[in-house]
Amino acid sequence: MDSRLAIDSAVLLLYFVLIVSIGLYMGRKEENLKDFALGGRQIPWWAVLASLIAAETSAGTFFGTPGEGFALRNYTYLQLALGTIIARILVSYIFIKPYYDYKVYSIYEYLTARFGVPTKNAASAVFLFTRLLASGTRLYAAAIALALAYEMIRGVQPGQKETLFIYIGSTVAIVILTAIYTTLGGIKAVIWTDFIQASIMIGSALIALGLLYFAIPGGFHQIVQLHGGFGVSDFFTTGLDPAKHGWSKWKGMFAVEYTIFAGLIGSTFMTMATHGTDQDMVQRMLTAPDIRRSRRSLIMSGLADIPIAFTFLSIGVLLWVFYQTHQDPALPKTPNEIFCHYILYEMPVGLRGLLIAGIFATAMGSLSTAINALATSFTRDWYEPYINPASTSEQSLRAVRWATVWFSVLMIFVASTTAYLVIVHPNVRIILIVISIYGYTYGSVLGVFLAGMLTKSRGNNFGNIAAMIIGFIVVAILSGLPNNIAEIFDGKLYTQPTWLPLMKFPWWICFGTIVTFTVAVLFKTGPGHRLSTSELVPGSE
């Protein structure tokens, strides 16, 4: 083995040993479902903060965000971070208290108290399906590093079939390593390994940014000369057409992915959905000792989003400048692979191993929490009420561990399918795939939660489920989903009216929420479920 490759491999092996060992040590003595799912509510707020950052910054972000910076050569994606801060404040003061008051393990238990079992089942099922698809798609991105490393070692580009096998093998390895400590250690293992992984991820990104900057001859002057300077339009755009008037002027902003309106409005709804109604995100917030510290970790994670997103976008912009001055005929055509290509071919020995460890850190951090949340939601929402209503603590703990194993297997299947689609269609942008999956369904879930938390006597099971279905249909039409599906079979179902723009993903959850909420509150709550956030009766542990 080449000595340089041996050093990088040793760094990577040390990382895996460290993470699995810490995960198993910190997650020892799991005695019941409360320990597995909530860590006994004894996790420090700063560890919860690091876990939130690790979960948000997946391998898709590690490659996808630099890919956005490389492809667009601007920072307009950063506008979405504005809404994430607003949303976190709203989630902190609308959602967290009811979850603590009712002492939920799965957040969908709140819907049982507020509306009834059918609403809870619908929301939980949407979460299980959506989170499985989204996290499996994210997982594929981590395998990019091993696929490109294989190409570098072999010196030839593998064919499509060989590439697919590399992706599948990489995915299996990542899932097995992550599942070991997640299955045995529960949420405590997840959060403490997330803390280490978030540190490695941020540190490796900053190192890459510094190396890129100093590798560009002429420094900032050369960057400005090649890029053309940086103006307001590189950070903020409106999407408005100044040459038009009335609705024609405004409708264009819905057809642009990154605008100030999408950031302040669309992104606020997106983040309220992912951080207020997604078991994956909320579960780690509920491990903090009390409401105050849970809120602190959530709001601080929103403030951290801006510098983190800025760092990864800057890596993408500098990558574009770097490869203008360092011509590389082997440069990948897919923007998602550019950063990994730079790591493998330009990084110094040792640091290259650290950066690859950073890639796996982001993948394992988001994967471990997703698997844990899926297993917890399944056990609490489906196993205990339906499969084994008389389950003991030991049986529930055994069930949640087996659920962790089976969801890991399903993750491998989804990631492998995603790899196949991206190999066949190399221009696909990872970050849009991940966010789009949420966009179709999470507006419906958020609308029902808001109907429960913002009203005392509106909404019932029939109305909520009807509202969720209508919300999904509206988002599908606004996004052009039926025609997109029909195009696969060389068909077209309908012609989009000229007055109705095809809306980009930042707006999907916004309109899905508004429609779902509006329909849901048309129905009156039954007498037995008229609970408000201040009237929740704490449940038993």
Side-chain angles (χ1 to χ4, degrees):
M1 180 184 291
D2 184 276
S3 60
R4 294 173 297 176
L5 185 60
I7 294 173
D8 291 328
S9 300
V11 172
L12 195 57
L13 179 62
L14 178 63
Y15 161 75
F16 284 129
V17 171
L18 176 68
I19 287 297
V20 174
S21 300
I22 290 175
L24 293 177
Y25 176 79
M26 297 305 300
R28 67 196 188 283
K29 297 181 181 178
E30 300 289 350
E31 297 178 353
N32 51 48
L33 185 58
K34 180 184 177 184
D35 287 338
F36 187 93
L38 300 177
R41 296 195 195 276
Q42 297 175 347
I43 307 296
W45 72 268
W46 45 268
V48 177
L49 166 63
S51 183
L52 287 169
I53 292 173
E56 294 170 332
T57 313
S58 65
T61 308
F62 204 93
F63 292 136
T65 307
E68 294 294 289
F70 183 91
L72 303 177
R73 297 194 290 279
N74 60 41
Y75 291 86
T76 54
Y77 175 79
L78 199 61
Q79 293 170 108
L80 298 186
L82 300 176
T84 68
I85 297 174
I86 299 171
R88 280 169 167 85
I89 295 172
L90 293 173
V91 169
S92 295
Y93 289 93
I94 296 175
F95 291 84
I96 290 181
K97 187 178 186 299
Y99 296 151
Y100 268 88
D101 285 347
Y102 197 60
K103 295 181 170 65
V104 299
Y105 293 8
S106 164
I107 61 173
Y108 309 107
E109 294 174 69
Y110 166 82
L111 297 176
T112 302
R114 180 62 179 83
F115 297 115
V117 172
T119 299
K120 180 268 293 183
N121 287 348
S124 177
V126 168
F127 161 72
L128 292 173
F129 179 74
T130 305
R131 170 52 65 186
L132 178 63
L133 287 182
S135 295
T137 302
R138 282 177 167 186
L139 178 59
Y140 140 80
I144 291 175
L146 290 184
L148 293 182
Y150 179 83
E151 179 182 338
M152 181 183 72
I153 295 169
R154 286 279 307 274
V156 294
Q157 186 174 3
Q160 284 191 350
K161 183 180 292 187
E162 195 174 10
T163 302
L164 179 61
F165 283 126
I166 295 169
Y167 277 118
I168 294 174
S170 304
T171 299
V172 170
I174 294 169
V175 171
I176 289 176
L177 287 169
T178 306
I180 288 172
Y181 68 80
T182 305
T183 302
L184 299 177
I187 195 67
K188 283 189 288 189
V190 167
I191 287 181
W192 287 110
T193 53
D194 278 355
F195 178 77
I196 303 297
Q197 289 161 336
S199 303
I200 294 173
M201 178 269 296
I202 294 171
S204 60
L206 291 173
I207 290 171
L209 186 65
L211 290 174
L212 265 170
Y213 179 82
F214 290 109
I216 297 172
F220 187 73
H221 175 74
Q222 180 73 359
I223 294 170
V224 171
Q225 187 175 31
L226 288 173
H227 182 272
F230 294 90
V232 174
S233 62
D234 288 297
F235 295 88
F236 299 101
T237 56
T238 64
L240 304 181
D241 189 342
K244 296 181 179 179
H245 302 279
W247 174 242
S248 297
K249 176 179 180 177
W250 287 88
K251 72 175 184 178
M253 74 178 188
F254 297 107
V256 180
E257 290 163 357
Y258 309 133
T259 69
I260 189 64
F261 300 108
L264 292 175
I265 302 173
S267 181
T268 298
F269 279 89
M270 284 171 56
T271 308
M272 285 180 67
T274 57
H275 289 65
T277 67
D278 184 313
Q279 176 73 15
D280 183 17
M281 284 295 177
V282 179
Q283 185 171 334
R284 72 201 65 225
M285 302 175 205
L286 301 181
T287 63
D290 53 48
I291 297 171
R292 180 175 55 85
R293 278 175 276 198
S294 179
R295 285 172 174 165
R296 183 188 303 166
S297 64
L298 176 58
I299 294 173
M300 290 289 287
S301 71
L303 297 175
D305 266 359
I306 293 181
I308 290 173
F310 182 82
T311 298
F312 280 106
L313 286 169
S314 295
I315 289 172
V317 173
L318 292 186
L319 281 169
W320 181 83
V321 175
F322 177 83
Y323 284 113
Q324 300 303 304
T325 58
H326 298 71
Q327 295 298 317
D328 185 350
L331 194 67
K333 295 180 180 180
T334 306
N336 302 323
E337 298 181 358
I338 302 296
F339 185 29
C340 190
H341 180 86
Y342 171 81
I343 292 171
L344 293 174
Y345 288 92
E346 303 293 341
M347 277 281 182
V349 177
L351 285 178
R352 180 170 58 188
L354 178 64
L355 262 292
I356 294 175
I359 295 167
F360 287 109
T362 59
M364 295 173 72
S366 57
L367 175 64
S368 61
T369 49
I371 295 175
N372 184 270
L374 287 164
T376 299
S377 179
F378 172 80
T379 304
R380 194 69 171 178
D381 297 334
W382 302 93
Y383 173 80
E384 291 184 343
Y386 300 110
I387 300 174
N388 189 1
S391 59
T392 63
S393 296
E394 292 76 14
Q395 289 173 324
S396 291
L397 182 60
R398 191 181 309 118
V400 77
R401 284 176 169 161
W402 273 110
T404 303
V405 173
W406 284 112
F407 277 115
S408 299
V409 173
L410 291 174
M411 287 281 188
I412 293 173
F413 174 77
V414 174
S416 301
T417 303
T418 305
Y420 171 78
L421 293 175
V422 175
I423 289 169
V424 174
H425 303 284
N427 292 325
V428 170
R429 290 153 68 188
I430 297 175
I431 204 162
L432 300 188
I433 296 178
V434 175
I435 297 177
S436 295
I437 292 171
Y438 296 130
Y440 291 117
T441 58
Y442 271 29
S444 294
V445 177
L446 177 58
V448 168
F449 267 93
L450 289 178
M453 293 184 173
L454 299 182
T455 71
K456 294 183 179 181
S457 60
R458 308 308 301 178
N460 59 37
N461 288 316
F462 174 80
N464 291 341
I465 294 173
M468 293 174 71
I469 294 171
I470 294 170
F472 172 80
I473 292 172
V474 168
V475 171
I477 293 172
L478 292 177
S479 65
L481 179 63
N483 275 339
N484 291 339
I485 295 174
E487 285 176 3
I488 298 175
F489 304 98
D490 298 322
K492 188 175 183 180
L493 295 179
Y494 61 90
T495 301
Q496 191 84 357
T498 56
W499 58 268
L500 183 64
L502 279 176
M503 294 190 179
K504 296 297 184 180
F505 71 85
W507 293 102
W508 297 352
I509 290 179
C510 172
F511 283 95
T513 301
I514 293 171
V515 171
T516 302
F517 177 85
T518 302
V519 174
V521 297
L522 295 176
F523 297 83
K524 185 178 291 187
T525 305
H529 293 285
R530 294 188 177 184
L531 298 176
S532 69
T533 56
S534 61
E535 296 170 325
L536 283 172
V537 179
S540 62
E541 294 282 1

